[in-house]
């Protein structure tokens, strides 16, 4: 792959600016694709202009002045044979004043707007007028850029690569096909142009090009590149899948005593879905290569008991299991629940969180190091360098998308060394990742293609559906009465606020203020307050009081989004619901409806709603199915925000769209494994073009 520093025609400032843009190779430069286009191939007469259109006019400046009311601006009036239009500049330089003097003939490109004195263009791009023969032959591409790198310079740099490739040599390699021809033999792909043709068309589209198809990336040229990108992602993920199957991991035989002992003591039977995924995990753990399985299930579907069974399989085989959660509240919930389940089985559990005293932490670390602690439960404190495991075989990561790639990698490095005749080799961990945010099908196929996925798609019997109500903040008094009535009947309630304390930027209800207001409104009730800035001991004390039923109303931030399980809580009020994401609202709603009582979730909203807020609230009101909500969330937010993959190590798609290009993803998935097996060199070339080094940290 040719580095841009090898292109002699590139000046040092240009190279520096391209590198600031993240472009280091000719391939990277060619795949820095336009975000939109300008049609500068024609000049439109002033009389033919239409409001809202972006177009180009040419004429003579008949008047120009700098005005100071209502604000400073440069106004120039351009006239052609058919009429006049004003060019207005609020920010301008002396050079622009000189260029727009009376009598100058110029071309201006911009959006036509209705001004005080007829049509105008605000901040159009202006050029000295040239002959018609010198009009551009193609649409003008517009690229994302950085300060110091102008559009003309960026276009020129890309043009140089095209020009030098036509002369052959090292540049030509940037346009070569990376994959064998039969890859594009599918009927849906058969009409795809060559890689060179696609790039040439996208960077230099003819005037006849369908502008809408170009900018929406639905033209056949964009679709070819989208397919190549999706295939690269599939190849990368499946390569990691194959590589994992060649690594060593402890073979953990199915549990004969501990799991059956656990299930016999349970007051409930596993659902069919729980039994199915438990068997999938059991089979994975018995293999000689590391399990990497994603266990997903809706709020309250019973993932914890399945994870506990996996931990017992490791423990019965003489290995340690670690159970990691993203927050101390969730970690403590797991610790309390698993202690209750496992102490009768004589399982030694260690508890490790960041807010422990040094003495407590050292005692826990001692047990972990000598192997007496069989199950270790905690937060990110588990994977700190100082924590040494005697024999860690299984890592269970709850709400895995909340951990960054480096954190997951740190835990993976806790795996022990295995002595062999040829020296020590690293023994890999089994990993079970859990998520209560269901993953839509296209995301599962795309971003989780290197994992095995289990789904608990059935809720335990006896769960009452939660009624969701959308209520304007103007009716707050009614909601306060509903809280009073629920608590009077012996039930408990949550009141969730988005911020801890007052913010000038976002004038939202705050937990501290709401707590004081609630104490005033309900003097007869015991009210608790929980938020993320409280000390762990304080949070634990409040949660213990609420869990025991001594506290009737809990005012909290979204720190209670996961892990809080109080069956007697039947009412939840969420302030400023319009500000929250769908998955967060669904998670919060899942804190109620855990007992037999009829449960309600009230979404309080401010009256002036944006279209996005209306769309979110409509989805959460109409559906309680986590998969439907997740799909809607994906459509609204896009995969980057949905997954939090900005810090996860997963290569993001720049061209392909999972919803628009789902049919291409199906084909890419079908082709990936065969290409890895039969064309390894071509696969490496394709990955080098599309991912560079960005696939090194995928799914650790």
């Amino acid at each position: 792959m040719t580095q841009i520093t090898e292109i002699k025609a590139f000046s040092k400032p240009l190279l520096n600016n391209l590198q600031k843009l993240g472009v280091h190779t000719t391939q990277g430069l060619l795949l820095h694709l336009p975000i939109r286009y300008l049609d500068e191939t024609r000049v439109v007469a002033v009389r033919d202009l239409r409001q809202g259109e972006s177009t180009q006019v040419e004429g003579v400046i008949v008047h120009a002045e700098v005005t100071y009311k209502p604000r400073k601006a440069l106004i120039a009036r351009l006239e052609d044979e058919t009429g006049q239009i004003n060019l207005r500049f609020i920010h301008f330089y002396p050079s622009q004043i000189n260029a727009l003097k009376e009598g100058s003939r110029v071309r201006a490109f911009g959006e036509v707007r209705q001004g005080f004195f007829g049509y105008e263009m605000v901040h159009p791009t202006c050029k000295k007028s040239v002959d018609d023969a010198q009009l551009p032959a193609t649409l003008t591409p517009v690229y994302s850029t950085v300060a110091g790198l102008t559009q003309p310079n960026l276009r020129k740099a890309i043009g140089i690569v095209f020009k030098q490739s036509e002369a052959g040599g090292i540049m030509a390699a940037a346009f070569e096909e990376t994959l064998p021809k039969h890859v594009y033999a599918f009927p849906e792909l058969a009409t795809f142009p060559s890689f060179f043709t696609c790039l040439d068309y996208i960077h230099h589209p003819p005037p006849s090009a369908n502008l809408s198809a170009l900018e929406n990336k639905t033209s056949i040229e964009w679709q070819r590149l989208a397919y190549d990108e999706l295939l690269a992602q599939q190849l990368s993920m499946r390569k990691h899948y194959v590589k994992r199957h060649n690594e060593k991991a402890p073979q953990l035989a199915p549990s004969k005593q501990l799991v059956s002992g656990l299930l016999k003591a349970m007051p409930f039977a596993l659902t069919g879905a729980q039994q199915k995924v438990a068997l999938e995990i059991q089979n994975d753990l018995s293999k000689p290569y590391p399990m990497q399985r994603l266990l997903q299930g809706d709020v309250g579907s019973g993932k914890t008991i399945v994870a506990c069974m996996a931990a017992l399989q490791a423990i019965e085989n003489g290995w340690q299991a670690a159970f990691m959660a993203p927050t101390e509240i969730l970690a403590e919930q797991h610790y309390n629940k698993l202690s209750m389940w496992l102490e009768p089985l004589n399982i030694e559990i260690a508890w490790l969180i960041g807010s422990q005293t040094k003495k407590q932490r050292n005692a826990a670390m001692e047990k972990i190091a000598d192997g007496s602690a069989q199950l270790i439960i905690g937060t990110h404190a588990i994977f700190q360098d100082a924590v040494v495991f005697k024999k860690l075989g299984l890592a269970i990561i709850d709400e895995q998308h909340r951990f960054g790639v480096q954190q997951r990698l740190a835990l993976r490095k806790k795996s022990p060394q295995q002595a062999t005749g040829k020296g020590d080799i690293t023994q890999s961990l089994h990993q079970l990742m859990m998520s209560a945010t269901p993953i839509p099908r296209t995301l599962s196929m795309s971003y989780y293609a290197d994992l095995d996925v289990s789904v608990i798609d059935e809720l335990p019997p006896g769960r009452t559906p939660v009624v969701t109500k959308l209520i304007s903040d103007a009716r707050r008094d009614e909601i306060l009465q509903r809280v009073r009535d629920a608590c009077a009947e012996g039930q408990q309630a949550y009141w969730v606020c988005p911020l801890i304390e007052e913010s000038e930027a976002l004038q939202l209800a705050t937990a501290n203020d709401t707590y004081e207001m609630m104490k005033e409104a309900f003097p007869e009730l015991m009210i608790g307050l929980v938020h993320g800035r409280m000390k762990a001991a304080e949070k634990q004390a409040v949660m213990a009081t609420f869990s025991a039923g001594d506290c009737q109303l809990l005012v909290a931030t979204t720190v209670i989004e996961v892990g809080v399980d109080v069956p007697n809580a039947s009412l939840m009020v969420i302030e400023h619901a319009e500000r929250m994401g769908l998955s967060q609202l669904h998670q919060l709603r899942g804190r109620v409806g855990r007992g037999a009582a009829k449960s309600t979730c009230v979404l309080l909203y401010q009256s002036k709603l944006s279209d996005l807020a209306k769309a979110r609230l409509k989805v959460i009101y109409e559906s309680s199915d986590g998969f439907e909500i997740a799909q809607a969330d994906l459509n609204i937010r896009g995969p980057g925000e949905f997954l939090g993959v900005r810090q996860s190590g997963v290569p993001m798609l720049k061209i392909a769209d999972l919803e628009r290009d789902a049919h291409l993803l199906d084909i890419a998935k079908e082709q990936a494994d065969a290409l890895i097996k039969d064309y390894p060199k071509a696969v490496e070339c394709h990955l080098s073009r599309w991912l560079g080094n960005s696939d090194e940290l995928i799914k650790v």
Side-chain angles (χ1 to χ4, degrees):
M1 191 178 292
T2 307
Q3 300 294 311
I4 57 173
T5 50
E6 296 177 51
I7 304 175
K8 293 177 181 177
F10 286 5
S11 66
K12 194 166 183 180
L14 176 61
L15 289 171
N16 290 338
N17 284 323
L18 286 173
Q19 287 165 349
K20 278 196 287 182
L21 191 60
V23 172
H24 302 278
T25 64
T26 54
Q27 201 72 81
L29 183 57
L30 290 170
L31 289 173
H32 187 71
L33 299 170
I35 51 175
R36 59 190 176 89
Y37 299 88
L38 309 177
D39 185 359
E40 296 180 318
T41 63
R42 60 197 179 100
V43 172
V44 177
V46 171
R47 70 181 172 201
D48 296 329
L49 295 177
R50 296 288 180 270
Q51 187 174 339
E53 288 184 353
S54 292
T55 191
Q56 183 169 242
V57 293
E58 179 179 344
V60 176
I61 302 299
V62 294
H63 179 73
E65 67 173 322
V66 176
T67 62
Y68 293 90
K69 290 184 180 180
R71 58 185 298 185
K72 187 178 179 181
L74 168 61
I75 308 290
R77 190 173 306 130
L78 180 147
E79 180 180 80
D80 69 3
E81 296 80 7
T82 66
Q84 294 183 347
I85 183 170
N86 285 329
L87 313 179
R88 182 153 58 95
F89 301 85
I90 299 164
H91 307 288
F92 54 91
Y93 299 98
S95 59
Q96 286 174 291
I97 298 175
N98 291 330
L100 295 172
K101 282 181 177 177
E102 288 183 24
S104 302
R105 188 167 184 83
V106 298
R107 264 190 201 148
F109 187 98
E111 182 185 342
V112 180
R113 301 182 185 182
Q114 184 66 51
F116 288 114
F117 306 104
Y119 279 165
E120 68 175 10
M121 290 181 177
V122 179
H123 284 284
T125 56
C126 295
K127 301 175 184 174
K128 189 176 179 182
S129 195
V130 291
D131 296 336
D132 285 350
Q134 292 180 298
L135 282 167
T138 66
L139 300 181
T140 305
V142 178
Y143 302 90
S144 60
T145 188
V146 293
L149 181 57
T150 65
Q151 292 291 332
N153 283 344
L154 191 45
R155 292 179 200 126
K156 185 178 178 182
I158 292 168
I160 287 170
V161 177
F162 273 92
K163 192 172 181 179
Q164 291 192 7
S165 72
E166 291 169 5
I170 57 172
M171 292 299 166
F175 295 98
E176 289 175 357
E177 298 292 340
T178 52
L179 299 171
K181 286 183 180 179
H182 76 263
V183 168
Y184 303 100
F186 279 73
E188 297 93 333
L189 316 181
T191 57
F192 280 175
S194 70
F195 183 64
F196 173 85
T197 302
C198 292
L199 285 179
D200 191 33
Y201 187 90
I202 289 169
H203 284 294
H204 314 114
S208 59
N210 183 327
L211 200 55
S212 174
L214 271 175
E215 293 188 339
N216 293 326
K217 300 180 182 175
T218 54
S219 73
I220 196 167
E221 294 81 11
W222 275 109
Q223 287 286 281
R224 155 72 201 258
L225 298 188
Y227 178 73
D228 282 1
E229 184 183 36
L230 286 168
L231 184 56
Q233 191 192 52
Q234 287 295 303
L235 291 170
S236 177
M237 294 289 191
R238 298 309 292 176
K239 251 186 72 184
H240 283 77
Y241 186 90
V242 171
K243 181 183 175 185
R244 173 163 57 87
H245 281 235
N246 291 322
E247 293 176 356
K248 298 292 182 186
Q251 280 187 268
L252 307 175
S255 168
K256 293 181 179 177
Q257 296 179 337
L258 293 178
V259 169
S260 60
L262 171 73
L263 296 179
K264 281 177 187 173
M266 289 293 109
F268 54 82
L270 295 183
T271 64
Q274 285 174 309
Q275 292 175 33
K276 174 174 148 298
V277 301
L279 186 60
E280 290 171 347
I281 293 166
Q282 176 187 288
N283 291 339
D284 273 7
L285 293 174
S286 65
K287 300 283 173 55
Y289 51 82
M291 172 181 78
Q292 262 194 306
R293 186 168 284 275
L294 174 66
L295 173 60
Q296 56 174 332
D298 215 337
V299 177
S301 60
K303 297 182 292 298
T304 307
I305 185 73
V306 172
C308 183
M309 292 164 66
L312 289 178
Q313 185 172 341
I315 291 166
E316 192 163 322
N317 280 274
W319 292 81
Q320 293 170 301
F323 201 129
M324 188 167 71
T327 66
E328 291 193 1
I329 284 184
L330 179 53
E332 188 182 15
Q333 289 279 334
H334 285 316
Y335 177 72
N336 292 336
K337 186 176 284 188
L338 292 170
S339 295
M340 182 177 65
W341 289 347
L342 300 182
E343 279 177 2
L345 300 175
N346 296 315
I347 302 298
E348 181 75 25
I349 302 175
W351 167 238
L352 198 63
I353 57 173
S355 62
Q356 285 174 311
T357 64
K358 190 173 181 180
K359 184 178 179 181
Q360 290 171 322
R361 192 179 303 115
N362 288 342
M365 285 165 57
E366 207 172 295
K367 288 183 177 181
I368 295 167
D370 66 22
S372 57
Q374 298 158 291
L375 176 63
I376 300 88
I377 301 173
T379 57
H380 57 279
I382 287 176
F383 51 70
Q384 290 173 352
D385 290 342
V387 181
V388 178
F389 289 83
K390 171 80 171 177
K391 201 178 180 185
L392 182 62
L394 169 66
I396 300 166
I397 305 172
D398 198 8
E399 294 298 315
Q400 60 87 25
H401 60 283
R402 294 182 174 221
F403 292 97
V405 65
Q406 298 296 348
Q407 293 173 315
R408 295 202 297 269
L409 181 59
L411 184 59
R412 192 173 182 177
K413 287 178 178 174
K414 298 292 184 184
S415 54
Q417 300 290 312
Q418 182 182 39
T420 67
K422 299 175 183 177
D424 286 355
I425 61 169
T426 300
Q427 179 97 308
S428 292
L429 288 175
H430 292 293
Q431 286 193 54
L432 178 63
M433 290 157 278
M434 302 199 296
S435 176
T437 303
I439 311 300
R441 172 184 167 273
T442 50
L443 271 189
S444 181
M445 286 172 63
S446 181
Y447 292 99
Y448 292 95
D450 65 323
L451 301 182
D452 298 297
V453 181
S454 292
V455 181
I456 302 179
D457 53 6
E458 176 185 1
L459 289 176
R463 283 288 171 94
T464 53
V466 178
V467 176
T468 303
K469 293 186 178 293
L470 286 173
I471 297 178
S472 167
D473 186 70
R475 295 168 57 192
R476 178 178 290 264
D477 289 346
E478 294 176 35
I479 306 308
L480 291 172
Q481 186 57 47
R482 181 173 288 213
V483 170
R484 183 178 284 108
D485 293 344
C487 293
E489 291 169 8
Q491 297 297 310
Q492 290 166 276
Y494 299 98
W495 194 291
V496 181
C497 310
L499 292 180
I500 297 168
E501 55 200 26
E502 196 61 56
S503 161
E504 290 181 12
L506 294 172
Q507 294 294 323
L508 310 184
T510 66
N512 288 330
D513 288 349
T514 303
Y515 174 63
E516 296 300 328
M517 286 163 50
M518 293 299 161
K519 285 200 299 183
E520 195 175 313
F522 305 117
E524 73 278 14
L525 299 181
M526 172 75 170
I527 301 171
L529 172 65
V530 172
H531 58 69
R533 292 187 194 170
M534 291 170 67
K535 290 182 179 177
E538 292 177 296
K539 279 190 284 192
Q540 289 162 13
V542 174
M543 290 308 304
T545 307
F546 188 68
S547 297
D550 298 329
C551 168
Q552 291 87 35
L553 175 62
L554 182 65
V555 176
T557 59
T558 54
V559 72
I560 63 155
E561 179 185 337
V562 290
V564 179
D565 188 359
V566 181
N568 192 49
S570 62
L571 175 62
M572 172 170 283
V573 180
I574 303 176
E575 293 256 22
H576 291 280
E578 76 277 5
R579 298 273 184 163
M580 297 187 190
L582 278 173
S583 59
Q584 189 174 50
L585 288 171
H586 185 55
Q587 287 272 20
L588 286 167
R589 181 170 60 182
R591 299 307 107 207
V592 292
R594 292 174 168 257
K598 182 181 177 183
S599 296
T600 304
C601 179
V602 176
L603 305 179
L604 276 182
Y605 65 90
Q606 297 295 304
S607 54
K608 290 183 180 179
L609 291 178
S610 66
D611 290 341
L612 181 63
K614 286 177 185 174
R616 275 202 296 257
L617 293 179
K618 184 174 186 287
V619 170
I620 203 77
Y621 175 72
E622 291 179 350
S623 179
S624 59
D625 184 309
F627 284 91
E628 282 183 21
I629 291 167
Q631 183 63 50
D633 207 10
L634 172 64
N635 296 343
I636 291 171
R637 288 198 287 161
E641 294 300 322
F642 184 94
L643 291 166
V645 295
R646 300 278 177 252
Q647 48 87 56
S648 75
V650 179
M652 286 299 300
L653 296 169
K654 295 177 182 176
I655 299 171
D657 178 277
L658 292 181
E659 187 177 9
R660 181 193 66 214
D661 303 323
H663 63 297
L664 298 177
L665 178 59
D666 287 332
I667 301 169
K669 180 177 169 62
E670 189 176 333
Q671 295 211 14
D673 286 334
L675 283 170
I676 290 169
K677 180 172 177 284
D678 299 331
Y679 299 93
K681 286 186 178 178
V683 166
E684 291 307 316
C685 287
H686 195 71
L687 289 176
S688 176
R689 167 174 287 171
W690 284 97
L691 299 183
N693 297 322
S694 67
D695 66 332
E696 290 176 355
L697 294 176
I698 293 174
K699 288 291 181 289
V700 295

